[in-house]
Amino acid sequence: MSFPARLPARSLLALSLIAAMGSSFAQGMPAQDMSAQQAAPGPADTQPGNTTTSKDLDTISVIGRGETRQVQRITAKDMKTLPPGTSPLKVLEKLPGVHFESADSYGNYEWSTRISLRGFNQTRLGFTLDDIPLGDMSYGNNNGLHISRALISENLGSAELASGIGALGTASTGNLGGTVQFHSSDPAPEYGVTLAQTVGSDSTFRTYGRLDTGDHHGFAMYLSAESASADKWKGDGKQKQFQFNGKAVYNFGDSKVGALFTTSKRNETDYQDLSWDMLKRLGWNWDNWAPNWNAAVDAAKTQCGATYVYTCDDAYYAGRGLRNDSVTSLFGDFALAEGVRLKATAYHHENRGQGHWFTPYQASYPGTAQEVPISIRTTEYGINRSGVIAGLEWTLGNNLLQAGVWGEDSHHTVQRNFYFISGPVDDSYFLRNPDIRKFYQRYATQTRMFYLQDSITLLDGRMRFDIGLKSPHTTTTSTTVLGPYANGRLRASKGALPQLGFGYKFDDHNEVFASYAQNIAAFQAGINGPLATTQAAFDAFASKLKPEESSTIEAGYRHGDDFFEGSIALYTVKFKNRLLSIQQCSSGIQGCPSAYANVGAANSRGAEATFILKPMQGLRWYNSLSYNKSTYADDYLNGTTLVPVKGKTTVDSPKLLFNSELAWTMNGWDAHLAANYTGKRYYTYLNDGSVPSYWLFNASAGYDFGKTGFLQDLRVALNVTNLANKHYFGTIGSNGFAASDVGGYFATMQAGAPRQGMLTVTAKF
């Protein structure tokens, strides 16, 4: 599968899906009026590698009953606790094993957004939307896009979290520690228009609209858009985003085809990264200099030696992130014969991004009368990727056989440029024609994966065995157009990675499960990967690099009835060939070639519990508790210096997480109160730098007026985040992690947002 040019790539993708569709039409299925019916879910709708719709998932147990893996789910109803526009990632934080952080109340500010599962950070997890791979969703933007850009929050149908072992057919090259599969909502069966307006703290103003065509002989579609703007909660600047989502589905017989199209334009102003030393000197509300240009210039001229500002990294004039994305997919689910289904998705994603930084380390117009001690440094990203995912399911007696393939060709570019300025310019647009170009790299990544699984049910369906394997092959090639970085190629490949599962139902309410899986991660492309180093360094370590690997064992028990649902899971994970990028300059934002090394293994062990009580109609009390002990198994060398990390707790992995949510609905009213506890976390490998534990509380209340005048429905809702107005460090590792920080000078933390309130009015026509 080689896509030499953009237009042929799109054409080939379309033809691939059309060919798949043609095989189903050739079966000569009878036409049926689908206006009052939907495709019946196949027997594999809860199996790995599926393309289950959001509506199907709404009917499946939140705690994953019937699965041989630890699986938890959320639906659109779970979004109500948090304000409209909140990232679906933030909603996942209440699930066991999930640790989520951000510096804003919405969880959308991508420089600060972090999610981890059982001690694995997001670069080692897998994320998909309607089976489309989202990559690792990192700020570096090399192989995907963030879910907050891929989907408007109101269009989320459901999400499935596998905190340790992901579905075998998940399209991901990095899922060492679990997967998150997001599903967009389907078009509504009835015609309607939805409009929602949100206003709130920090000049928040967000408008959402959606048009549903309703079902017309099996065809239904929706078009939706969002425009959002909010001031930063401290400092100067705004966070802006415009999104469009469109989805169309055509049901015929027991099959369906459809298309999804999404675009996003995001413009976010950065918050200043903090250190413990800065917090003591400058306080929680310290931020960048903007709009005080003269203060930024004076600080740069004096090498940032003011009485209260010690270094140039205490504050910059401003920083910004710009991201434009478009994603197109065609998908189909075809009943080829009795018990045989083919599911296929073809997709194309294009991205352009720039990260801006008003740097005091490079003057504008140096050596001239117009010299200014600040310029704008950019990191500029581009992504052009296309792929096809296909899976065949065949029910044969008590066997469900599944086989599938995933192929993707991705092209990524990254460059570092400087633009000269004469004053406090507006940089809220893509800059062109740089004055200095430091480096320019191109990456070509080819991914091919095959998977095969047999699910065997015995004892009248009470016992189930899953036996499967996948074979991933990823090759990344870098070509340096300009600069000191390396040309080279890295390949991560395995002929067979096994995945085994077992489940047994004692009765309709009680079951046990156990599973085992091996996974590898592809070498990362882009500015944070092993090819973003000098040619000499790459030549020295490339032959020694092995792909990161994990082996996971988990087992648990589930119970479910009308009054109580609960689960408990135990797990142990072995993480081998851990690769560490060792920064060679004082601040991660400065950017310079890094060293890359295999620093040994890490081990994780833990337990997760979920407790859901439903004492009466309309009242639901959800609780999750997670204990995780992740430690480094080996010391490592930084040059010739031994870093004795063996036995130390892994960075940004709290041992204890607790979430509790009380939800009440009655006669049009609904209210939610949520409490989240996050344990102590380390940001240094030697564990001499940490942030303390904290509690957060969120609340919401709403009233649904129902049909009102010419409106089909009218709803008013109030959301309040950080109810107790707690001061805390949310994100750590925004500038990476250090071996040691005894003095507290490493600026790699971001303060969490204070209490904020949002009022939303939603009308349906």
Side-chain angles (χ1 to χ4, degrees), residues 28-42:
M29 294 185 213
Q32 296 182 30
D33 183 356
M34 295 297 292
S35 59
Q37 57 181 305
Q38 294 193 355

Side-chain angles (χ1 to χ4, degrees), residues 29 38 48 66 76 135 164 192 209 214 257 346 358 426 555 619 653 698 716 734 746 760:
M29 294 185 213
Q38 294 193 355
V257 294
F358 284 76
D426 177 11
L619 186 62
S653 59
N698 301 314
V716 177
S734 55
F746 186 30
T760 303

Side-chain angles (χ1 to χ4, degrees), residues 602-643:
N603 299 313
S604 295
R605 295 178 178 86
E608 299 163 351
T610 305
F611 176 96
I612 306 171
L613 192 64
K614 299 167 283 186
M616 57 185 291
Q617 176 121 17
L619 186 62
R620 183 174 183 266
W621 185 26
Y622 176 95
N623 299 271
S624 69
L625 178 66
S626 307
Y627 174 80
N628 175 74
K629 185 178 181 181
S630 294
T631 57
Y632 299 114
D634 302 282
D635 299 332
Y636 72 89
L637 289 174
N638 184 354
T640 58
T641 303
L642 179 70
V643 184

Side-chain angles (χ1 to χ4, degrees), residues 81-84 86 90 93 104-107 201 674 696-700 718-726 728 753-758:
T81 308
L82 296 167
T86 296
K90 189 170 178 64
E93 70 180 343
D104 68 315
S105 59
Y106 295 96
S201 302
L696 279 186
F697 299 90
N698 301 314
S700 70
L718 175 67
N719 296 84
V720 181
T721 59
N722 193 359
L723 201 60
N725 206 28
K726 171 74 174 178
Y728 69 102
R755 179 171 54 236
Q756 295 186 308
M758 314 294 169

